[in-house]
Amino acid sequence: MTACAADTTYSKSLHIAVFGPTGGCVSIALARALRDGHSVSALARSPEKLLSILETQHGLVGPASLSALTVVVGNARDPADVARALTADGAWPAGPDLVLGGVGGAPVFSACPTRPMSVDDPTICATWAAALVAALRTVAAASTTDDKIARRPPPAVIAISTTGISPRARD
């Protein structure tokens, strides 16, 4: 009998860089990664908001629950901030194994019947993606002096968005 992939356990601890960590889907994935023993670097404009969400919505509080979390203060539009998050402020010189991006704009409602909803920043996902590519190139260029790091494959990148479908005001 062959085991289903869901029945197997991935034993390697991953370095995961998270962007948009206060959003619903991404905060759930971040909390799960921490519970599963992975190291997580999260880029957040408001670390207080992120820590509050992890505590109130996911029950993660205190050093024991958050010891594998590095919060990098910054903006997902800025390639330098994104690069700092990719390396966990220098703790992972080779960058992450996985990038999880959930940046998105906030919905804006209007009385216009032909366009009742829009997004406050309709290009945020593309802007973040461009910043991510630039930051990955920066991290790779800085890592080429170490043969072991230079041979490392680029990280897997997962981008998700739930703008407008959550009952929360910001998702």
PDB file of all heavy atoms in Angstrom, residues 58 91 121 128 133-134 168-169:
ATOM      1  N   HIS A  58      -4.213  32.983  16.548  1.00  0.00           N
ATOM      2  CA  HIS A  58      -3.545  31.696  16.362  1.00  0.00           C
ATOM      3  C   HIS A  58      -2.954  31.115  17.649  1.00  0.00           C
ATOM      4  O   HIS A  58      -2.324  30.058  17.614  1.00  0.00           O
ATOM      5  CB  HIS A  58      -2.454  31.827  15.291  1.00  0.00           C
ATOM      6  CG  HIS A  58      -2.982  32.342  13.999  1.00  0.00           C
ATOM      7  ND1 HIS A  58      -3.828  31.617  13.198  1.00  0.00           N
ATOM      8  CD2 HIS A  58      -2.824  33.541  13.378  1.00  0.00           C
ATOM      9  CE1 HIS A  58      -4.162  32.336  12.133  1.00  0.00           C
ATOM     10  NE2 HIS A  58      -3.571  33.507  12.222  1.00  0.00           N
ATOM     11  N   ALA A  91      20.620  36.347   9.013  1.00  0.00           N
ATOM     12  CA  ALA A  91      20.701  35.016   9.626  1.00  0.00           C
ATOM     13  C   ALA A  91      20.743  33.901   8.584  1.00  0.00           C
ATOM     14  O   ALA A  91      21.300  32.838   8.836  1.00  0.00           O
ATOM     15  CB  ALA A  91      19.529  34.789  10.585  1.00  0.00           C
ATOM     16  N   ASP A 121      -4.647  49.933  -4.014  1.00  0.00           N
ATOM     17  CA  ASP A 121      -3.373  49.907  -4.749  1.00  0.00           C
ATOM     18  C   ASP A 121      -3.431  48.738  -5.733  1.00  0.00           C
ATOM     19  O   ASP A 121      -2.979  47.635  -5.417  1.00  0.00           O
ATOM     20  CB  ASP A 121      -2.195  49.759  -3.785  1.00  0.00           C
ATOM     21  CG  ASP A 121      -0.845  49.832  -4.480  1.00  0.00           C
ATOM     22  OD1 ASP A 121      -0.810  49.844  -5.729  1.00  0.00           O
ATOM     23  OD2 ASP A 121       0.177  49.873  -3.781  1.00  0.00           O
ATOM     24  N   TRP A 128       5.306  44.230  -5.688  1.00  0.00           N
ATOM     25  CA  TRP A 128       5.994  43.307  -4.791  1.00  0.00           C
ATOM     26  C   TRP A 128       6.779  42.266  -5.596  1.00  0.00           C
ATOM     27  O   TRP A 128       7.927  41.956  -5.259  1.00  0.00           O
ATOM     28  CB  TRP A 128       5.021  42.591  -3.851  1.00  0.00           C
ATOM     29  CG  TRP A 128       5.681  41.439  -3.155  1.00  0.00           C
ATOM     30  CD1 TRP A 128       6.642  41.514  -2.177  1.00  0.00           C
ATOM     31  CD2 TRP A 128       5.497  40.050  -3.416  1.00  0.00           C
ATOM     32  NE1 TRP A 128       7.044  40.241  -1.819  1.00  0.00           N
ATOM     33  CE2 TRP A 128       6.359  39.334  -2.563  1.00  0.00           C
ATOM     34  CE3 TRP A 128       4.684  39.349  -4.293  1.00  0.00           C
ATOM     35  CZ2 TRP A 128       6.408  37.942  -2.553  1.00  0.00           C
ATOM     36  CZ3 TRP A 128       4.745  37.971  -4.287  1.00  0.00           C
ATOM     37  CH2 TRP A 128       5.595  37.272  -3.414  1.00  0.00           C
ATOM     38  N   VAL A 133      11.946  39.899  -7.209  1.00  0.00           N
ATOM     39  CA  VAL A 133      12.932  39.477  -8.211  1.00  0.00           C
ATOM     40  C   VAL A 133      14.236  40.251  -8.020  1.00  0.00           C
ATOM     41  O   VAL A 133      15.327  39.665  -8.030  1.00  0.00           O
ATOM     42  CB  VAL A 133      12.375  39.645  -9.641  1.00  0.00           C
ATOM     43  CG1 VAL A 133      13.464  39.469 -10.693  1.00  0.00           C
ATOM     44  CG2 VAL A 133      11.239  38.658  -9.878  1.00  0.00           C
ATOM     45  N   ALA A 134      14.150  41.553  -7.827  1.00  0.00           N
ATOM     46  CA  ALA A 134      15.354  42.365  -7.605  1.00  0.00           C
ATOM     47  C   ALA A 134      16.077  41.919  -6.345  1.00  0.00           C
ATOM     48  O   ALA A 134      17.309  41.785  -6.327  1.00  0.00           O
ATOM     49  CB  ALA A 134      14.984  43.846  -7.517  1.00  0.00           C
ATOM     50  N   ARG A 168     -12.947  39.990   7.408  1.00  0.00           N
ATOM     51  CA  ARG A 168     -12.099  40.985   8.078  1.00  0.00           C
ATOM     52  C   ARG A 168     -12.015  42.223   7.221  1.00  0.00           C
ATOM     53  O   ARG A 168     -12.030  42.151   5.996  1.00  0.00           O
ATOM     54  CB  ARG A 168     -10.702  40.410   8.314  1.00  0.00           C
ATOM     55  CG  ARG A 168     -10.701  39.312   9.362  1.00  0.00           C
ATOM     56  CD  ARG A 168      -9.342  38.718   9.602  1.00  0.00           C
ATOM     57  NE  ARG A 168      -8.316  39.734   9.654  1.00  0.00           N
ATOM     58  CZ  ARG A 168      -7.037  39.496   9.428  1.00  0.00           C
ATOM     59  NH1 ARG A 168      -6.656  38.279   9.150  1.00  0.00           N
ATOM     60  NH2 ARG A 168      -6.158  40.446   9.495  1.00  0.00           N
ATOM     61  N   ALA A 169     -11.878  43.366   7.859  1.00  0.00           N
ATOM     62  CA  ALA A 169     -11.889  44.637   7.143  1.00  0.00           C
ATOM     63  C   ALA A 169     -10.739  44.779   6.151  1.00  0.00           C
ATOM     64  O   ALA A 169     -10.855  45.433   5.142  1.00  0.00           O
ATOM     65  CB  ALA A 169     -11.850  45.782   8.147  1.00  0.00           C
TER      66      ALA A 169
END
